[in-house]
Amino acid sequence: MGFRAIRIDKTETGSVASFAELEDSDLMDGDVTLRVTHTTVNYKDGLAITGKSPVVRRFPMVPGVDFAGIVESSSHPDFKPGDVAVLNGWGVGEMHFGGYAQKARLKGDWLVPLPEGLDAAQAMAIGTAGYTAMLALMALDRHGITPAMGPAIVTGAAGGVGSVAVAILKNAGYHVIASTGRPEEADYLHALGADEIMTRADFEGPVKPLMKERWAAGIDSVGSLTLAHVLAQTKMRGAIAACGLAQGMDLPTSVAPFILRGVCLLGIESVQCPKPLRIEAWNRLSRELDRGKLAAITTQLPFDKLLDAGRDIVAGKIRGRVVVEIP
Ligand code: NDP
């Protein structure tokens, strides 16, 4: 049977993404086949669609690092036809056909059951971005950081990771400082739980080894000079969870925050994250992420607009999270 998908093909100058008709025989190996019902747009999907970064490591490729779908057939013991399952990461959309398609086939070991209390659209409103924000909060918790130690900073706050991070840090009891390059989104960020807004300009310019101590915790999706500024202003024994590189992959910092203030930089990796941690993150999101705030973060988009949305997220034009229902 034929089905519709976005396909990325290699070209002489890079790659090109377009809508295509695929056949079941085009699907890659796996023990679970799903009808994809919902997907979303992450920064990485934007990089794949635009070809701006070499995230696609096999051509042709169906992008889409996240999806929710209904199991059509399965030889995996944990999944049976009719179950609803969620996929985040594992190289799907990079090395294995992903969620920008009406159908997907992959390893059941990569799937998690739809978390109790969430529907498929809400799971995609959270997506890899929201699940990564929760992995970051869990890392701060494991490190022993508490709201009593001081405020939490969120960089790239109006983006996907940032929006969920603001909401869940506020729910955890933190005084939340949101940094954004879009000051016009201040009301949006206050509604999610931000107590203070800072601008990108506050994180520009030369970084001193140590600056005035301002926060004890942080979730950073920006990297580069911004993260260097964040580290230099982190309080004694605080910790910053680094999850992204929206500004750049470099980190022009010194060891001063680490050796003179005991600051810790916690690395967050969502793609190969072990299943028990994934399930814990999803269960916590189901319990701790206010549904009104999740709705406020979310924009619905038709399948036909996915290519535009991929370009928009790389251009920093998408606010919060996007949900795409697959027809
Ligand atoms: P979004 O594009 O939704 O959010 C990124 C935000 O970063 C933007 O909204 C913007 O926030 C800010 N930003 C963008 N460009 C710049 C810039 N040049 N300088 C400073 N700030 C900038 O992406 P996601 O939230 O989906 O992902 C965020 C980052 O996290 C990405 O780098 C992504 O690759 C990474 N990521 C990593 C994961 C992991 O496993 N470690 C998993 C998921 C994502 P504002 O407008 O508020 O300034």
Side-chain angles (χ1 to χ4, degrees):
M1 276 253 298
F3 63 93
R4 213 160 162 242
I6 289 179
R7 193 180 62 202
I8 301 181
D9 291 294
K10 202 168 175 49
T11 63
E12 274 183 14
T13 50
S15 62
V16 64
S18 55
F19 282 92
E21 274 299 313
L22 301 187
E23 298 294 323
D24 278 7
S25 56
D26 293 320
L27 286 169
M28 294 172 76
D29 287 347
D31 49 8
V32 181
T33 304
L34 303 103
R35 185 172 77 71
V36 180
T37 60
H38 298 82
T39 186
T40 179
V41 183
N42 289 285
Y43 194 79
K44 195 183 265 180
D45 300 314
L47 294 177
I49 283 173
T50 56
K52 195 182 161 201
S53 241
V55 294
V56 174
R57 281 168 285 157
R58 175 182 175 152
F59 294 92
M61 182 49 54
V62 174
V65 305
D66 281 343
F67 68 81
I70 301 168
V71 174
E72 276 190 354
S73 61
S74 165
S75 57
H76 189 284
D78 294 349
F79 296 97
K80 58 179 190 321
D83 287 347
V84 183
V86 176
L87 181 284
N88 310 107
W90 294 117
V92 171
E94 300 174 62
M95 288 163 62
H96 190 102
F97 281 7
Y100 289 1
Q102 291 171 313
K103 267 194 188 185
R105 184 183 297 140
L106 37 71
K107 284 189 186 174
D109 285 349
W110 295 342
L111 295 166
V112 295
L114 181 72
E116 212 173 301
L118 293 172
D119 62 29
Q122 288 170 327
M124 283 302 101
I126 294 169
T128 285
Y131 140 76
T132 299
M134 181 52 86
L135 290 177
L137 176 56
M138 285 161 51
L140 293 168
D141 289 349
R142 268 199 311 278
H143 194 70
I145 305 294
T146 66
M149 293 167 71
I153 175 89
V154 176
T155 62
V161 174
S163 295
V164 175
V166 169
I168 60 179
L169 284 165
K170 184 66 185 173
N171 178 74
Y174 283 93
H175 177 93
V176 179
I177 304 172
S179 155
T180 183
R182 292 181 269 183
E184 67 277 15
E185 299 298 356
D187 288 347
Y188 165 80
L189 291 168
H190 282 307
L192 292 182
D195 297 286
E196 289 177 52
I197 308 287
M198 291 180 73
T199 71
R200 261 187 222 175
D202 296 323
F203 298 89
E204 284 165 1
V207 192
K208 293 187 195 147
L210 295 175
M211 296 163 84
K212 187 175 170 225
E213 294 178 54
R214 299 199 59 173
W215 35 76
I219 298 182
D220 172 68
S221 55
V222 171
S224 194
L225 189 59
T226 299
L227 178 55
H229 273 272
V230 166
L231 289 166
Q233 294 175 68
T234 302
K235 283 173 179 274
M236 186 68 93
R237 307 216 174 276
I240 303 299
C243 20
L245 41 58
Q247 188 176 45
M249 224 185 202
D250 60 321
L251 182 54
T253 187
S254 76
V255 295
F258 310 124
I259 63 171
L260 298 177
R261 286 190 182 151
V263 168
C264 280
L265 183 58
L266 310 175
I268 306 302
E269 193 282 330
S270 71
V271 177
Q272 306 287 333
C273 177
K275 207 161 178 174
L277 265 185
R278 284 174 189 263
I279 290 177
E280 185 189 342
W282 277 107
N283 287 340
R284 279 193 63 172
L285 284 158
S286 177
R287 286 196 306 271
E288 297 175 27
L289 181 56
D290 179 275
R291 297 301 186 272
K293 289 184 181 176
L294 181 60
I297 288 171
T298 309
T299 308
Q300 323 282 337
L301 212 67
F303 189 40
D304 289 348
K305 295 279 180 223
L306 259 175
L307 290 175
D308 297 332
R311 290 187 269 270
D312 285 348
I313 198 163
V314 171
K317 288 191 199 157
I318 299 244
R319 184 182 84 177
R321 300 279 304 141
V322 165
V323 172
V324 178
E325 193 171 341
I326 308 279

